[in-house]
């Protein structure tokens, strides 16, 4: 059995999940990713968890994929085993919000893992990048696809074709992260954002995440139709009745997540 490389704790309705490999750079080995997926899937089925904060060590969120393992691969084994895709793609199935709290290095697979999350909050010492070109390979977990959607084609090309990193302030200016905070406030701020989300109706949280994600995967007209259908469906929720009644009665809503 692999040693535990993920630490998880609850902060009210927010789960705090830490990448905690023996290596402080948190290389994203198959074993670590399998454990991470298991924890995230448990949070998906836990009705008390409304959002998850994902973070790393003091030195790195994650400084890349497992280069030792990759150095031994050939095409046949990478393809037949669906290397990276086998486990990483399961993160896309998470319906509840994922908040990346990034401090230190988020390079290669680490940057790609952060981009899989719904919100990215960076410490002022965070460093983002896709240095795969320096290893003679193409990014394999979304670096060439999610990065252009976040920062635009030109900046993504510069990052991927040179392998040079982006500082936290550059990542904020380019739209890769939502906000930058002092390192000592990183976890506190990420949990605060998670708590802001978690106080709302869980079915509505899930629906909004689906609708925003649809904006990146469909045409505007299809996305608008999808949004409108979710809007109409929302009138079947007990939480819609409660939310609007609370507004009209000038009180705090007591959502029941149904």
């Amino acid at each position: 059995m692999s040693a535990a490389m993920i630490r998880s704790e609850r902060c009210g309705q927010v789960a705090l999940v830490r990448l905690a490999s023996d290596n402080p750079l948190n290389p994203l080995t198959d074993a670590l990713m399998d454990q991470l997926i298991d924890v995230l899937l448990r949070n998906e089925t836990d009705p008390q968890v409304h959002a998850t904060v994902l973070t790393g060590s003091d030195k790195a969120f994650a400084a890349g994929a497992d280069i030792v393992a990759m150095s031994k691969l050939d095409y046949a084994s990478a393809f037949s085993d669906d290397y990276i895709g086998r486990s990483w793609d399961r993160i896309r199935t998470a319906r509840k919000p994922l908040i990346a709290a990034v401090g230190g290095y988020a390079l290669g697979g680490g940057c790609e893992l952060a981009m899989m999350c719904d919100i990215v909050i960076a410490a002022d010492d965070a460093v983002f990048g896709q240095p795969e070109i320096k290893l003679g390979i193409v990014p394999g977990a979304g670096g060439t696809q999610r990065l252009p959607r976040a920062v635009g084609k030109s900046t993504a090309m510069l990052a991927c074709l040179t392998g040079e990193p982006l500082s936290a302030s550059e990542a904020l200016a380019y739209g890769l992260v939502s906000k930058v905070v002092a390192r000592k406030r990183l976890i506190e701020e990420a949990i605060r954002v998670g708590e802001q989300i978690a106080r709302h109706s869980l079915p509505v949280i899930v629906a909004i995440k689906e609708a925003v994600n649809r904006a990146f995967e469909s045409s505007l007209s299809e996305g608008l139709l999808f949004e409108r259908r979710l809007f109409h469906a929302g009138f079947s929720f007990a939480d819609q009745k409660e939310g609007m009644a609370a507004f009209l009665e000038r009180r705090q809503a007591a959502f029941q997540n149904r």
Side-chain angles (χ1 to χ4, degrees), residues 53-70:
V53 171
L54 178 62
T55 193
S57 69
D58 290 338
K59 190 169 186 178
F61 178 73
D66 185 1
I67 296 175
V68 173
M70 286 195 294

Side-chain angles (χ1 to χ4, degrees), residues 140-161:
T144 66
Q145 302 304 301
R146 291 188 176 92
L147 191 59
R149 286 166 167 78
V151 305
K153 175 183 175 181
S154 182
T155 300
M157 283 287 193
L158 182 64
C160 290
L161 291 176

Side-chain angles (χ1 to χ4, degrees), residues 73-215:
L73 293 175
D74 57 22
Y75 174 76
S77 58
F79 180 75
S80 61
D81 293 342
D82 193 18
Y83 183 66
I84 290 183
R86 176 183 61 81
S87 56
W88 289 58
D89 285 349
R90 295 171 69 189
I91 297 174
R92 297 177 58 198
T93 68
R95 303 183 73 196
K96 298 176 183 178
L98 296 175
I99 302 166
V102 179
Y105 298 112
L107 302 176
C111 185
E112 291 167 318
L113 179 59
M115 289 191 291
M116 288 181 181
C117 296
D118 304 300
I119 297 169
V120 182
I121 298 173
D124 50 14
D125 68 344
V127 179
F128 298 84
Q130 299 292 159
E132 286 88 346
I133 195 169
K134 297 181 179 181
L135 300 174
I137 57 173
V138 174
T144 66
Q145 302 304 301
R146 291 188 176 92
L147 191 59
R149 286 166 167 78
V151 305
K153 175 183 175 181
S154 182
T155 300
M157 283 287 193
L158 182 64
C160 290
L161 291 176
T162 67
E164 294 304 305
L166 299 173
S167 67
S169 59
E170 288 173 322
L172 179 63
Y174 292 134
L176 180 58
V177 306
S178 301
K179 58 175 65 180
V180 175
V181 299
R183 179 59 182 263
K184 64 181 181 180
R185 292 187 51 239
L186 176 63
I187 303 304
E188 171 191 341
E189 179 62 17
I191 291 174
R192 186 191 69 81
V193 171
E195 290 172 339
Q196 278 188 304
I197 295 169
R199 68 171 61 113
H200 301 299
S201 167
L202 183 56
V204 178
I205 291 169
V206 170
I208 288 174
K209 173 173 172 171
E210 287 183 357
V212 173
N213 281 334
R214 184 61 64 98

Side-chain angles (χ1 to χ4, degrees), residues 18 40 140 148 191 211 234:
R18 292 182 182 271
L40 294 181
I191 291 174

